[in-house]
Amino acid sequence: DHFIVCGFGRVGRNASYEFQRANAPFVVLDRNDQRVAKATAAGMLALVADATHDDCLREAGVARAKGLIAALPSDAENLFIILSAKTLNPNLTVVTRVSEEEAGEKLRRAGADTVFTPYAMAGRQLADALLRPHVLEFLDFTRSNIGPKVTMEQLCVTPKTEFTSRPLGQLLESHKSGVIVLAVRKQGGETIFNPPADFNISSGDFLIVMGERPSLERLEQILTR
Amino acid sequence: DHFIVCGFGRVGRNASYEFQRANAPFVVLDRNDQRVAKATAAGMLALVADATHDDCLREAGVARAKGLIAALPSDAENLFIILSAKTLNPNLTVVTRVSEEEAGEKLRRAGADTVFTPYAMAGRQLADALLRPHVLEFLDFTRSNIGPKVTMEQLCVTPKTEFTSRPLGQLLESHKSGVIVLAVRKQGGETIFNPPADFNISSGDFLIVMGERPSLERLEQILTR
Ligand SMILES: [Ca+2]
Ligand SMILES: [Ca+2]
């Protein structure tokens, strides 16, 4: 139930910091022993290993892993890792970045669940920074560690919760949650934006919520107890 | 009141598409005539010009422009553009991307209002794609052109609006807006997350809202009439 980060370059490093912040278990693989030393010094579990070799992926526990990030510098090597990892564990969620937009389709066909194109993302965000600066500022604010630490999270409604098949408004009011429910993602994948207070949540639904971290944690405890 | 995009590479191109989608006036500058031809073919206003020359920035109307994107491949050239542009128009908002995180501080000191590091962003998002896939899916959903086209926007409360100094709940209820107000950004920069229904909005405030595009447009019309 851990994550594997292949490559500790600029992308892999930032992904690893994010896992660390979230207290999620993960292991870093990199061919370069200096980069691995850097990861270790930051308190991460890291191995000098070539992620394009099946043996190394096995050593990193790919068979029981939850997800993998393919963040080597070349699209070809990431494609290779994705094919190998998906063969060793078909249930693994695999995400990657691509330098050339045209390579994205190939990586998706190789089994990548999500493919990011950093340059395209950066372009859109630069335009957004001029078109709607306060939205961006607000989203940054949800990322920074100062201020009220507002963030977005997904909360799963489990079979145990008392709120299964009861209206959403009741859940939020009775707990003075201070949380905004942006959407409900039904088990089938259907997404309902801005669900009304009389919306009945069911087991297996995900609530897409925004709020201060302590409020979200409180709500998560209620939903999973 | 237009935008200037310096460089029509991968980042500049995607920023330009975003301006096009938003119907915002902009001009593209690139040294390479083939890239300029590509922009022109996409229906954009584009000039073969070297943005590191003051003359070219003047030709692009920098003196009356609202914002500029410095998206040349090198950090050094972007720094040069930022210094020149800010000298020609101190009120200009300038945003840029940086390949090395360490260069970010230099660009900020040169006058860049926002500096993105695409690799760092990509790393964080890859981790997010594994840690909270449904949040990411939801945000993607707000970007895509299919589905209910939910998006985030900033809406300014103008001096004219009848809702200035009246409670927010009244505004939203009386217009059955279907819009979620995530936050209010006060004129001084203070941000109030999840404002209560009895919150009084004032002229100069920005509402950070999420909703379907037509609903947001209706609300914007009410707020600016
Ligand atoms: Ca969680
Ligand atoms: Ca607007």
Side-chain angles (χ1 to χ4, degrees):
Chain A
D1 231 39
H2 65 292
F3 299 104
I4 302 172
V5 179
C6 304
F8 200 66
R10 287 178 287 189
V11 172
R13 202 164 63 227
N14 280 287
S16 302
Y17 292 145
E18 196 68 22
F19 283 137
Q20 215 172 27
R21 263 193 292 272
N23 277 318
F26 68 101
V27 55
V28 172
L29 305 185
D30 198 291
R31 277 185 287 248
N32 182 299
D33 53 1
Q34 288 185 325
R35 281 211 286 253
V36 169
K38 210 171 157 184
T40 308
M44 300 171 184
L45 178 62
L47 304 172
V48 181
D50 185 337
T52 62
H53 293 174
D54 284 10
D55 282 355
C56 295
L57 289 176
R58 274 196 204 97
E59 207 187 330
V62 70
R64 55 180 196 283
K66 196 169 170 183
L68 178 145
I69 295 181
L72 293 204
S74 101
D75 293 344
E77 283 186 306
N78 287 327
L79 189 131
F80 198 88
I81 292 173
I82 293 164
L83 275 171
S84 311
K86 279 283 190 177
T87 306
L88 294 166
N89 178 357
N91 294 322
L92 193 73
T93 302
V94 175
V95 301
T96 191
R97 50 56 72 91
V98 74
S99 30
E100 295 294 337
E101 279 161 78
E102 305 79 56
E105 195 42 47
K106 286 198 192 86
L107 288 158
R108 254 175 235 107
R109 257 184 287 145
D113 297 280
T114 307
V115 178
F116 286 108
T117 49
Y119 291 104
M121 263 168 42
R124 284 196 302 260
Q125 296 230 27
L126 284 172
D128 257 0
L130 292 176
L131 290 169
R132 37 188 91 84
H134 300 312
V135 170
L136 218 79
E137 185 191 67
F138 175 68
L139 288 174
D140 270 359
F141 178 78
T142 68
R143 286 222 140 269
S144 69
N145 287 314
I146 48 149
K149 302 189 195 178
V150 171
T151 189
M152 281 177 78
E153 196 48 90
Q154 61 180 56
L155 303 179
C156 188
V157 180
T158 64
K160 282 173 275 175
T161 170
E162 58 188 294
F163 287 99
T164 293
S165 295
R166 277 168 70 187
L168 188 61
Q170 205 176 316
L171 166 64
L172 297 176
E173 272 159 46
S174 63
H175 293 273
K176 304 239 175 289
S177 64
V179 166
I180 300 178
V181 179
L182 301 173
V184 176
R185 184 193 186 276
K186 304 296 292 175
Q187 220 164 0
E190 194 200 352
T191 299
I192 295 104
F193 174 72
N194 198 4
D198 61 359
F199 187 88
N200 278 341
I201 52 175
S202 316
S203 170
D205 288 354
F206 278 93
L207 306 186
I208 311 295
V209 292
M210 193 171 216
E212 300 181 20
R213 238 175 249 288
S215 310
L216 294 180
E217 276 160 20
R218 230 177 305 132
L219 189 58
E220 185 165 28
Q221 274 162 16
I222 293 164
L223 285 170
T224 53
R225 84 174 162 211
Chain B
D1 231 40
H2 64 294
F3 299 104
I4 303 172
V5 179
C6 303
F8 200 66
R10 286 177 288 189
V11 172
R13 202 163 65 226
N14 280 287
S16 302
Y17 292 145
E18 196 68 22
F19 283 137
Q20 215 172 27
R21 262 192 293 271
N23 278 318
F26 68 100
V27 55
V28 173
L29 304 185
D30 199 292
R31 278 186 287 247
N32 182 298
D33 53 1
Q34 289 185 323
R35 281 211 285 252
V36 169
K38 211 172 156 182
T40 308
M44 300 171 184
L45 179 61
L47 304 171
V48 180
D50 186 337
T52 62
H53 293 174
D54 284 9
D55 283 354
C56 295
L57 289 176
R58 275 197 204 97
E59 206 187 331
V62 70
R64 55 179 196 284
K66 196 170 171 183
L68 177 144
I69 294 181
L72 294 204
S74 101
D75 293 343
E77 283 186 306
N78 287 327
L79 188 132
F80 198 88
I81 292 175
I82 292 165
L83 275 172
S84 312
K86 279 282 190 179
T87 307
L88 294 166
N89 179 357
N91 295 320
L92 193 72
T93 303
V94 175
V95 300
T96 190
R97 50 56 72 92
V98 72
S99 29
E100 296 295 335
E101 279 160 79
E102 304 79 58
E105 195 41 46
K106 287 199 192 86
L107 289 157
R108 251 175 237 110
R109 257 184 289 145
D113 298 280
T114 307
V115 179
F116 286 109
T117 49
Y119 291 105
M121 263 167 42
R124 283 196 301 263
Q125 296 231 27
L126 285 173
D128 258 0
L130 292 176
L131 289 169
R132 37 187 90 84
H134 299 312
V135 170
L136 218 79
E137 183 191 69
F138 175 68
L139 288 174
D140 271 359
F141 178 76
T142 69
R143 285 223 140 267
S144 69
N145 287 314
I146 47 149
K149 302 189 194 177
V150 171
T151 189
M152 281 177 79
E153 195 49 270
Q154 62 179 55
L155 303 179
C156 189
V157 180
T158 64
K160 281 173 276 177
T161 170
E162 59 188 294
F163 287 99
T164 292
S165 296
R166 277 167 72 185
L168 187 62
Q170 206 176 313
L171 165 64
L172 296 176
E173 271 161 45
S174 63
H175 292 274
K176 305 240 175 287
S177 65
V179 167
I180 300 179
V181 179
L182 300 173
V184 176
R185 185 195 186 275
K186 304 296 294 175
Q187 219 164 1
E190 193 200 352
T191 299
I192 295 104
F193 174 72
N194 198 4
D198 61 359
F199 187 87
N200 277 341
I201 51 175
S202 316
S203 170
D205 288 353
F206 278 94
L207 307 185
I208 311 294
V209 292
M210 194 171 216
E212 300 181 20
R213 237 175 249 288
S215 310
L216 294 180
E217 277 161 19
R218 230 177 304 133
L219 189 59
E220 185 165 29
Q221 275 164 15
I222 294 162
L223 284 171
T224 53
R225 85 174 162 210

